[in-house]
Amino acid sequence: MVNSEIPKHYTASPSSYNGTPHLTINREVALDLDSNNAFEGPEKLLEVWFSASPATLPASTAPNGLKVVAADTWKEMLDLVNCKVLSVVESEHVDAYLLSESSMFIFPHKIILKTCGTTTLLSGLPRILEIAALSAGFPHMAGNLVAGIATAATPYRVFYSRKNFLFPDRQRGPHRSWRDEVKSLDRLFLGGSAYMIGKMNGEHWYLYLTEPNTVLTPPATPDRIEAETKVLELPNPGTAAVCQPDGVDGEQDETLEILMTDLEEENAKQFYLDHASAVAEGRYFQRPHKAQKEGQKHLSTINESSVENPKTYDNIEDEIDVFSNTSSEDDELACDDEKIFPAELTTEGHGLGSVVSECSGLADVYPACKYPDARIDAYLFTPCGFSANAVIPAPCGPSATHYFTVHVTPEPHCSYASFETNVPSRQMGRETADVVEQVVAIFKPGRFSVTLFEAKLMDLVDETDLDAVAEMKALERQAAKKNARMESIKGYRRVDRIVHDLEGYELVFRYYERWDWEGGAPRLGEIGF
């Protein structure tokens, strides 16, 4: 019989060995998906931190924090967001949910929720605060009745961001405009700050964040002035300030996000179901011929060895069976088996998702040779569209697990792809620019933006501590080198660069266009604020 399952030892397969990330697939939801109407690629991204790190969970909290929350509870919250769970990869440090519209990651101390299309992400935020209080035991207070919850956990910090929408008129609930989103967040949190980064009449990015130890808006709060959106201007170049956010605990906290539009049409065909199925079929029927060639090569090696070592040749039939015990009847059966192409490779789902992960090169961004326990959970939609989550345990050093997530809308009139990861650059042993170049080469966008959030290092260095001063100087040189590399991404010119110092973090926004780009001005469905 032909085994049509994703191979367990395939590096891009989410099913894996015991003790490594485990996959659960929601087959009922997967049956009804169709990407025909998924036109709004740019995602809404929410991060809610309930403590500064997994090591600093409050005493009242369950030992594993948010990871103790049942999957059904999260699914019920996602109903408010208008998306469904396709599959889950569980690991010791993070659970990765692949959704019908993007992704969700659950760590002990924080939740990351990223949704595209016309999802109503912020409608699920009050319920997230309630779940953290009631199911995970985080410290809480009486909820805001305006938000519709009776109790709410007090977050450590909240981040919400997104690129400008292509089709803002199709958004629902609090997402019809950035102003409405800010009002929705201000109803929950005191002292939040809203920013617009980039050109008001060009590509730009929105950000809302709270300060450490976020304060919830008290119940029945009176009307007040909403957070004013700040437009960030290009700063004067200089060295970045360095300070360590509370609770980083020595781990490099950074998030890289690459948002790509105007994908090269021919290249984008790899994210269409028909194309991926044809590729899978070609590879599938090549396997028997490749195996036979390998067997013949192996047999030739054995024969050569037997000439040099006759004693080995005497026992060769007992030790190795190469194409033996076969008959014409067996050959006919093998041919019949070859003709049976697995249904999983002709329809949308995880099977073709794994094929696209490997063929496109996404599986090589964090290769198995360096990250042997990494697992990718990928899904290809009908008639096109692609999503993938990856759980990436650190190969050495402190015990930690990181992620990357990819989402693709390949239709020419609204083509878009996103790549996000929190794998630290120093763990990879290569520059951030190298990762950007590798990802951009996979999707071949006409233009793209890069946002890099990095936790700042210690600012208060004792000038008499020569070792500490030397280390800071070395880090400054590394930062300058990394910034210089990001100025020259192969095949693209950097149009904008904006740097902003936030509480405990540095944010760098860059926008690029291909050197030979002739597509005109960016498609802007949403202009300014």
Side-chain angles (χ1 to χ4, degrees):
M1 295 295 293
V2 176
N3 180 11
S4 62
E5 294 181 356
I6 303 171
K8 292 184 180 297
H9 298 291
Y10 166 46
T11 58
S13 170
S15 51
S16 91
Y17 316 98
N18 290 334
T20 55
H22 172 72
L23 171 73
T24 302
I25 297 175
N26 186 346
R27 300 190 185 278
E28 291 183 5
V29 170
L31 287 175
D32 296 326
L33 288 179
D34 190 312
S35 65
N36 275 307
N37 296 319
F39 298 121
E40 187 64 72
E43 303 97 341
K44 314 163 184 85
L45 175 60
L46 174 70
E47 288 196 29
V48 185
W49 294 50
F50 292 97
S51 68
S53 74
T56 58
L57 295 176
S60 63
T61 308
N64 220 12
L66 293 173
K67 278 176 56 62
V68 304
V69 178
D72 285 345
T73 301
W74 292 124
K75 291 176 183 178
E76 174 262 330
M77 180 274 295
L78 290 170
D79 287 340
L80 301 173
V81 179
N82 291 295
C83 61
K84 302 292 183 182
V85 174
L86 296 178
S87 53
V88 186
V89 176
E90 298 175 345
S91 68
E92 181 181 357
H93 302 287
V94 59
D95 295 336
Y97 287 70
L98 192 64
L99 308 179
S100 55
E101 286 85 7
S102 299
S103 303
M104 179 173 71
F105 297 91
I106 305 296
F107 295 82
H109 65 301
K110 67 180 179 181
I111 175 174
I112 300 174
L113 181 55
K114 187 172 191 172
T115 66
C116 61
T118 57
T119 51
T120 51
L121 185 150
L122 291 179
S123 296
L125 179 52
R127 178 64 178 138
I128 290 173
L129 301 178
E130 189 174 40
I131 290 171
L134 300 180
S135 299
F138 282 94
H140 55 277
M141 59 175 287
N144 188 336
L145 297 180
V146 175
I149 53 174
T151 186
T154 304
Y156 170 72
R157 202 154 194 189
V158 177
F159 304 85
Y160 175 71
S161 64
R162 65 170 176 84
K163 181 185 178 297
N164 53 293
F165 289 134
L166 297 176
F167 309 104
D169 56 307
R170 300 183 185 181
Q171 294 298 318
R172 298 179 292 172
H175 299 288
R176 292 187 177 91
S177 72
W178 176 242
R179 184 181 298 274
D180 288 346
E181 290 171 312
V182 171
K183 287 181 178 179
S184 178
L185 290 160
D186 279 348
R187 289 191 190 101
L188 290 171
F189 311 115
L190 287 176
S193 299
Y195 301 88
M196 193 197 79
I197 303 169
K199 296 179 179 179
M200 294 183 69
N201 60 346
E203 292 284 355
H204 53 272
W205 189 72
Y206 296 107
L207 171 68
Y208 181 99
L209 76 164
T210 64
E211 295 181 352
N213 301 308
T214 300
V215 178
L216 294 174
T217 300
T221 185
D223 292 338
R224 59 194 176 85
I225 299 174
E226 66 186 69
E228 178 185 356
T229 295
K230 306 172 182 66
V231 179
L232 304 186
E233 304 293 341
L234 289 170
N236 293 323
T239 44
V242 274
C243 78
Q244 181 91 359
D246 294 337
V248 169
D249 199 23
E251 180 183 341
Q252 187 176 1
D253 179 21
E254 64 181 68
T255 300
L256 170 69
E257 192 173 23
I258 309 170
L259 308 178
M260 297 161 277
T261 60
D262 302 286
L263 309 183
E264 199 276 317
E265 288 188 32
E266 191 64 28
N267 182 69
K269 289 180 179 178
Q270 63 187 312
F271 301 104
Y272 281 74
L273 190 145
D274 289 346
H275 183 278
S277 183
V279 170
E281 184 175 7
R283 295 180 57 162
Y284 181 82
F285 286 116
Q286 287 175 3
R287 289 190 309 172
H289 303 293
K290 184 177 180 181
Q292 186 173 10
K293 287 182 179 180
E294 288 295 322
Q296 290 171 343
K297 180 180 178 182
H298 184 57
L299 181 59
S300 175
T301 303
I302 292 171
N303 288 335
E304 291 173 2
S305 175
S306 68
V307 174
E308 299 175 1
N309 191 351
K311 291 183 180 180
T312 304
Y313 182 77
D314 290 339
N315 299 322
I316 192 65
E317 292 184 359
D318 295 332
E319 296 177 2
I320 298 178
D321 182 18
V322 180
F323 300 131
S324 63
N325 300 322
T326 60
S327 64
S328 60
E329 180 179 351
D330 291 328
D331 290 339
E332 291 174 3
L333 181 60
C335 289
D336 287 341
D337 275 350
E338 285 183 23
K339 295 176 183 177
I340 303 173
F341 186 53
E344 289 84 352
L345 299 180
T346 63
T347 58
E348 73 167 67
H350 294 83
L352 283 179
S354 294
V355 170
V356 172
S357 293
E358 182 180 8
C359 294
S360 66
L362 283 169
D364 298 324
V365 176
Y366 300 104
C369 59
K370 295 189 72 171
Y371 299 90
D373 293 325
R375 293 295 174 264
I376 299 178
D377 177 18
Y379 194 100
L380 188 68
F381 295 89
T382 299
C384 61
F386 174 82
S387 288
N389 287 341
V391 173
I392 308 179
C396 56
S399 179
T401 299
H402 301 96
Y403 70 89
F404 79 72
T405 182
V406 175
H407 304 283
V408 186
T409 302
E411 295 96 323
H413 64 285
C414 58
S415 62
Y416 172 82
S418 68
F419 176 92
E420 179 189 339
T421 184
N422 72 339
V423 177
S425 56
R426 71 182 181 192
Q427 177 179 297
M428 295 182 290
R430 55 179 177 162
E431 298 292 337
T432 301
D434 296 328
V435 178
V436 173
E437 287 184 341
Q438 186 173 0
V439 170
V440 168
I442 292 172
F443 296 101
K444 303 186 188 314
R447 41 194 154 207
F448 66 95
S449 61
V450 176
T451 58
L452 181 62
F453 253 113
E454 288 187 285
K456 292 184 279 187
L457 302 173
M458 281 303 299
D459 178 33
L460 303 175
V461 177
D462 185 353
E463 294 183 359
T464 63
D465 187 339
L466 298 182
D467 290 338
V469 171
E471 184 177 355
M472 278 298 142
K473 294 287 186 183
L475 289 172
E476 288 179 1
R477 288 193 296 271
Q478 290 177 13
K481 180 182 177 182
K482 183 167 68 172
N483 285 331
R485 273 286 286 116
M486 286 295 293
E487 294 299 295
S488 56
I489 299 300
K490 185 178 180 180
Y492 292 84
R493 67 183 184 95
R494 198 266 298 154
V495 178
D496 281 342
R497 176 178 178 267
I498 298 175
V499 182
H500 194 64
D501 285 335
L502 304 170
E503 181 69 34
Y505 287 87
E506 180 181 82
L507 166 66
V508 183
F509 170 90
R510 293 179 175 91
Y511 170 64
Y512 301 81
E513 290 183 355
R514 202 169 58 222
W515 279 109
D516 62 351
W517 177 249
E518 297 179 352
R523 292 192 308 269
L524 296 176
E526 185 177 16
I527 301 176
F529 175 56

